[in-house]
Amino acid sequence: MKLLIINGVNLNMLGIREKEIYGANSYRDLCEYINTTAEQENLKVDIFCSNYEGEIVEKIQKAYRKYAGIIINPGAYSHYSIAILDALRAVDIPAIEVHLSDVKKRESYRQVLVTSEACFLTIMGKGFAGYKEAIIAMKKKLGEENENISKKDR
Ligand code: DQA
């Protein structure tokens, strides 16, 4: 069971960008945090980061039949990318959206979360810990799905 973690536009600037909002830890720190959490939860993860919408769409398309779940922080794309929303819907892989900051308490243009419409859960305002919560929630969801499949076999 392998998860795909996608970090979108400007997430590579963590530790440099708006530290009062996103904290002082770097993107590399975030990747280490995700990898450590995944190990603790006995899950395999691949982490992908891109500033390009099309690359994110392609990565999601290629996830079809390859990954059991997707955890995505699209960055600003969350607020307007119908292309990423469509890609998530197309592959129909359980997905969770994560935001480091609490976007609901921020500017009006951040109030619409387009891509999260394809996600069964959206976590925001918890910093790095939001990724841990997402990994644990995804593990639970996939465990329940497997249980349902094996029940059908009985
Ligand atoms: C973000 C929130 C977005 O509104 C913003 O554009 C980002 C980061 C977050 O993780 O809090 O780039 O996705």
Side-chain angles (χ1 to χ4, degrees):
M1 196 157 78
K2 202 171 188 185
L3 305 185
L4 175 61
I5 316 285
I6 300 176
N7 288 307
V9 62
N10 289 314
L11 268 307
N12 61 317
M13 294 298 280
L14 285 180
I16 299 168
R17 71 185 292 211
E18 299 174 285
K19 291 185 197 157
E20 62 294 352
I21 298 174
Y22 301 112
N25 291 322
S26 67
Y27 183 67
R28 187 196 268 243
D29 294 333
L30 175 62
C31 292
E32 271 177 30
Y33 178 85
I34 292 169
N35 281 322
T36 306
T37 306
E39 260 174 44
Q40 285 165 353
E41 295 301 322
N42 252 322
L43 288 172
K44 292 196 183 88
V45 290
D46 284 336
I47 306 173
F48 176 76
C49 183
S50 175
N51 286 316
Y52 298 94
E53 187 181 27
E55 277 188 7
I56 295 169
V57 166
E58 276 189 353
K59 192 71 187 177
I60 294 168
Q61 290 178 359
K62 286 186 182 147
Y64 185 63
R65 294 201 165 149
K66 191 169 170 201
Y67 293 96
I70 295 176
I71 293 170
I72 183 165
N73 181 348
Y77 287 139
S78 172
H79 310 302
Y80 62 90
S81 178
I82 297 169
I84 294 176
L85 169 69
D86 285 346
L88 288 169
R89 282 187 173 150
V91 294
D92 199 23
I93 297 170
I96 299 178
E97 180 157 308
V98 175
H99 293 283
L100 294 161
S101 64
D102 187 351
V103 288
K104 288 288 168 202
K105 292 192 178 142
R106 297 182 64 191
E107 302 91 334
S108 57
Y109 50 80
R110 292 184 209 275
Q111 299 312 305
V112 176
L113 295 175
V114 172
T115 50
S116 82
E117 284 187 32
C119 300
F120 70 88
L121 178 67
T122 301
I123 298 167
M124 60 181 79
K126 298 187 174 171
F128 284 12
Y131 286 81
K132 183 174 189 166
E133 199 174 310
I135 287 170
I136 292 169
M138 185 63 82
K139 190 178 168 181
K140 187 165 176 266
K141 166 102 175 157
L142 297 176
E144 282 164 5
E145 279 179 6
N146 282 342
E147 241 174 57
N148 288 340
I149 290 167
S150 49
K151 268 184 205 155
K152 269 189 217 152
D153 289 345
R154 270 182 230 151

